[in-house]
Structure formats: C-alpha cells, structure tokens
Amino acid sequence: MAFAPEVRAAQRRIVSTVNASGRLNADGLALWREVNCGEWKATAADISRDLDLLQVPHTIVTAFRFPLATSHGKAMRKGEEVRILRNDLPHLVSWMPSLEQTVADIPEDAPGWDFILFQPRADGMVVTTLALSAEWPAWSKKQARAARLVCAECDYDLREFKDDSRLPFDVRLPEQPRRRRLVCGQCCNDGVDEMERLAALAGEPS
C-alpha cells in the first residue's frame, strides 16, 4: 500500500523514537520528554503530530523524573509523556511490526504507569497517585531516593509493593505541611497516628 511521503517520514521518526526511548509496561507504551527539550530532540507535541498522522490513539500527560545529580535545587524534572494505552498498541504495531512480540511478552503482573500511595487526612485515608514518568520502576535506588520514593524513616524502597505492611504513606512534617514525605506503613502505623493527629487539629477551635 502506498502512503504519502509525510506519513512514511512520520513512521521512520516514530520507529526511531520508540527504539531509543520507549518504555513498555502493563498499561502500554510511554515516551517522556523534558519540558523545553525541542532544541535537542523531538518534543511531546512533535511525537503527537507524528502519531496523529499514523492514526495511533494517544494522550499527553505531565510527568516528573528524578532530579539530576548535578542539579542544585534537587527539584524533580518536569516533563510531558506521550502515552499509548496497551489496547491501542496494535495501531502502532501495524507501523512497527518488530514491536509485536515485545508487547506480547509483557508480564501480566508488570508495573503500570501509576505510583499509588496513601494520604492520611483528618476525615480519613485518601488513595492518590504521583505524576511520575513511566520509567519509575526501573530507576536505581539512588534515583528513587532522589525522587523521595524511599521511606524517609528507614530508607525502604517504596516501589516494592510486595509487603502490605510497607505500603507508601504521605506523612508530612508539621513544620513542612506542603512537602511530600513518604514513609512505609511500618514506620507510621499505616497512617493511623497521622489521621488521629490531623483529626485532633481539625477539632480544635480556631
């Protein structure tokens, strides 16, 4: 089947980009780009335009990566991530047949895009997610520590999700209520103590 030159060019760019920086997991495929990276590589918007030409359904979300070791502020790096749901990957495979077996080999228990945590509040426990790059399960322990994904008390790697007694809870210091601080369930009594503290504060007259 003959395709317009711009479609073939989009196919070549997408194949190259996926091979270079694509991340597959249980939820699908993701391509992360740091904000303002256009001088050096295709932006999320550039990738999106190519996928539109190839008629591959996708979305763009905000996602953060761990700070660079050379970063002075140690702030998480903001980026945009192009994501293709696993059910939509056949649209991409039709342009990139080499991806078919790789998709088929994804373990059913592989991690997904979301890093789930629990947030104690005065009125109960809230389940929420962090806006992280899909690469978070593969980060080294040092990178995870820089992203504050280890327990602030005992340094347990909170990405494990294998021990129900060590689930991640966002328990913030009273003097830094806006700063996320993750601890494992063993170190915070599964967030119960923090819920009780916040409930007591909420019940005090102003």
Side-chain angles (χ1 to χ4, degrees), residues 32-48:
W32 187 83
R33 287 292 183 268
E34 194 159 6
V35 171
N36 301 321
C37 71
E39 183 180 353
W40 308 106
K41 60 176 69 174
T43 65
D46 294 331
I47 296 170
S48 178

Side-chain angles (χ1 to χ4, degrees), residues 101-154:
Q101 189 57 52
T102 306
V103 172
D105 290 340
I106 298 173
E108 289 303 322
D109 61 348
W113 290 327
D114 292 335
F115 182 94
I116 299 172
L117 58 91
F118 299 88
Q119 194 169 61
R121 296 185 181 176
D123 56 352
M125 193 72 68
V126 174
V127 180
T128 186
T129 61
L130 296 183
L132 299 177
S133 161
E135 295 178 330
W136 64 264
W139 293 346
S140 69
K141 179 73 176 287
K142 182 177 180 180
Q143 291 165 341
R145 189 180 292 111
R148 299 195 298 276
L149 300 183
V150 300
C151 177
E153 297 288 344
C154 70

Side-chain angles (χ1 to χ4, degrees), residues 120 125 171 185-200:
M125 193 72 68
V171 179
Q186 284 190 14
C187 289
C188 70
N189 190 25
D190 291 329
V192 173
D193 296 342
E194 178 65 2
M195 276 195 302
E196 292 177 349
R197 184 186 74 83
L198 293 172

Side-chain angles (χ1 to χ4, degrees), residues 3-177:
F3 293 97
E6 60 268 24
V7 174
R8 284 302 186 193
Q11 179 188 18
R12 289 192 293 271
R13 288 192 294 267
I14 285 298
V15 169
S16 176
T17 301
V18 170
N19 283 334
S21 55
R23 173 66 63 178
L24 277 167
N25 61 27
D27 288 335
L29 184 139
L31 298 151
W32 187 83
R33 287 292 183 268
E34 194 159 6
V35 171
N36 301 321
C37 71
E39 183 180 353
W40 308 106
K41 60 176 69 174
T43 65
D46 294 331
I47 296 170
S48 178
R49 281 191 289 271
D50 283 343
L51 291 173
D52 283 339
L53 276 173
L54 302 179
Q55 298 183 7
V56 178
H58 63 280
T59 58
I60 298 178
V61 302
T62 298
F64 291 83
R65 291 193 75 195
F66 54 86
L68 293 173
T70 55
S71 171
H72 295 293
K74 301 302 180 186
M76 294 284 282
R77 288 182 288 158
K78 183 178 181 179
E80 293 180 316
E81 195 159 73
V82 181
R83 293 180 175 179
I84 303 171
L85 289 171
R86 188 168 182 174
N87 289 342
D88 290 326
L89 283 176
H91 296 276
L92 179 61
V93 169
S94 65
W95 297 101
M96 190 177 176
S98 61
L99 197 62
E100 183 173 15
Q101 189 57 52
T102 306
V103 172
D105 290 340
I106 298 173
E108 289 303 322
D109 61 348
W113 290 327
D114 292 335
F115 182 94
I116 299 172
L117 58 91
F118 299 88
Q119 194 169 61
R121 296 185 181 176
D123 56 352
M125 193 72 68
V126 174
V127 180
T128 186
T129 61
L130 296 183
L132 299 177
S133 161
E135 295 178 330
W136 64 264
W139 293 346
S140 69
K141 179 73 176 287
K142 182 177 180 180
Q143 291 165 341
R145 189 180 292 111
R148 299 195 298 276
L149 300 183
V150 300
C151 177
E153 297 288 344
C154 70
D155 203 43
Y156 176 79
D157 193 334
L158 295 167
R159 298 172 299 165
E160 293 296 327
F161 298 120
K162 295 177 181 177
D163 185 344
D164 288 345
S165 71
R166 288 187 176 273
L167 296 175
F169 292 82
D170 185 4
V171 179
R172 307 186 180 194
L173 296 174
E175 61 271 22
Q176 294 180 315

